Amino acid sequence: MAYDDNLARRGQSLRDTLAIGITLTSIIGVIILSLIVIMKDDEDGSNINMVFTAVLPLMGSWIGTVLAYYFSKDNFEAATRSVSEMAKNVTPQEKLKSTAVKDKMIKREQMFYKKAPLGGLMLVDILDELNSGEWSRLPILNNSGHIESVIHRSDIDRYMAERLRRYPATDLSALTLQDMLNEYSDLESHFGVVSEKSTLADAKSVMDKVPNCKDVFVTQNGNLNEEVMGWVTNAIIVANAQV
């Protein structure tokens, strides 16, 4: 990096030297030629008029070009520094406030979820599906598409371990998702809901207010008794809060 900076400075110094050298040489050359023409002027002064008519606008355009180049360059660099400083000062919360949930949520058609009734859903099969799809949690919707609960893979692992501890002869392959929900009724409260017009900052605020909440679902007006449109996880919020 230091080598690249030194190389850039050398290149800039060379460009500045060439620009100044060429400009000065051109100006001096034009002045000398103009003086020669003036000294050999005819009696009617036509050469002097020609020099002033041709040389002065030329000199003015050169000077204007050089000044415009250097001043515009400085202004551009100043604007770039200003924008960079502004970007550094953007906080994660401000970034979340400017991001709509509908732009970052997992849409309903992309979600991995199950719908009630759950009696025939075996836990071992659910685990296989979670592992094959690299999902870590499972939303449960009712027949109307309303969110009822969220099952995390860690919840299933914990439930199976506790069943084996209490009942060593338990056949894990016979356990259903409904069996688990009957014992872990608190899972139904570990999520939040926001409207489709909300931002990720709103979703984070809801998530912070609900104990052990890592999931927020998006409905049209932010009500539980509405069909789920999308899903925002804590991982989505963390990823979009980075600046």
Side-chain angles (χ1 to χ4, degrees):
M1 183 63 71
Y3 174 78
D4 292 340
D5 291 341
N6 290 333
L7 190 61
R9 282 194 292 269
R10 291 175 188 170
Q12 182 61 47
S13 177
L14 178 60
R15 287 192 295 272
D16 291 342
T17 301
L18 285 174
I20 294 172
I22 292 173
T23 302
L24 289 176
T25 301
S26 301
I27 292 175
I28 293 172
V30 170
I31 291 175
I32 293 173
L33 289 174
S34 299
L35 290 174
I36 293 174
V37 171
I38 292 173
M39 286 187 294
K40 294 185 177 181
D41 189 22
D42 297 332
E43 294 180 357
D44 60 358
S46 59
N47 286 353
I48 295 176
N49 292 332
M50 182 184 68
V51 168
F52 279 102
T53 302
V55 173
L56 290 182
L58 177 63
M59 303 253 319
S61 64
W62 282 354
I63 293 172
T65 301
V66 172
L67 291 176
Y69 170 76
Y70 279 99
F71 278 99
S72 63
K73 175 186 174 185
D74 291 341
N75 290 337
F76 176 76
E77 291 176 349
T80 301
R81 287 194 298 270
S82 177
V83 171
S84 298
E85 289 299 322
M86 290 175 60
K88 290 179 182 177
N89 293 329
V90 174
T91 65
Q93 183 66 15
E94 289 172 341
K95 188 172 182 183
L96 292 177
K97 285 182 179 179
S98 64
T99 307
V101 291
K102 63 182 180 181
D103 294 333
K104 299 297 180 179
M105 69 183 184
I106 303 171
K107 294 180 173 57
R108 169 76 175 271
E109 58 269 21
Q110 299 171 326
M111 289 171 48
F112 171 64
Y113 64 92
K114 297 295 182 181
K115 295 183 70 172
L118 308 175
L121 296 177
M122 315 307 294
L123 283 180
V124 290
D125 294 334
I126 295 295
L127 282 175
D128 287 341
E129 290 186 85
L130 287 171
N131 291 331
S132 63
E134 297 184 355
W135 295 92
S136 63
R137 57 199 86 177
L138 173 69
I140 305 298
L141 309 183
N142 63 19
N143 288 326
S144 298
H146 308 163
I147 182 65
E148 288 192 342
S149 59
V150 181
I151 310 298
H152 286 246
R153 183 160 44 194
S154 58
D155 296 323
I156 299 177
D157 293 337
R158 176 165 57 95
Y159 172 67
M160 287 183 166
E162 288 182 358
R163 288 283 299 190
L164 285 176
R165 180 177 58 81
R166 288 184 294 169
Y167 310 105
T170 298
D171 181 7
L172 296 181
S173 64
L175 295 176
T176 67
L177 190 54
Q178 189 61 59
D179 293 332
M180 177 179 170
L181 290 176
N182 291 340
E183 294 194 39
Y184 287 177
S185 59
D186 62 322
L187 296 176
E188 298 180 2
S189 60
H190 292 174
F191 61 86
V193 181
V194 295
S195 74
E196 63 174 333
K197 297 180 180 179
S198 300
T199 65
L200 287 183
D202 298 323
K204 184 179 184 303
S205 178
V206 169
M207 195 174 290
D208 291 340
K209 293 176 182 177
V210 179
N212 302 317
C213 178
K214 297 181 180 179
D215 306 276
V216 172
F217 293 89
V218 182
T219 65
Q220 185 174 4
N221 299 302
N223 298 321
L224 274 172
N225 58 348
E226 293 180 315
E227 188 173 356
V228 169
M229 302 173 62
W231 176 20
V232 176
T233 67
N234 59 327
I236 291 176
I237 293 177
V238 170
N240 286 276
Q242 296 176 356
V243 295

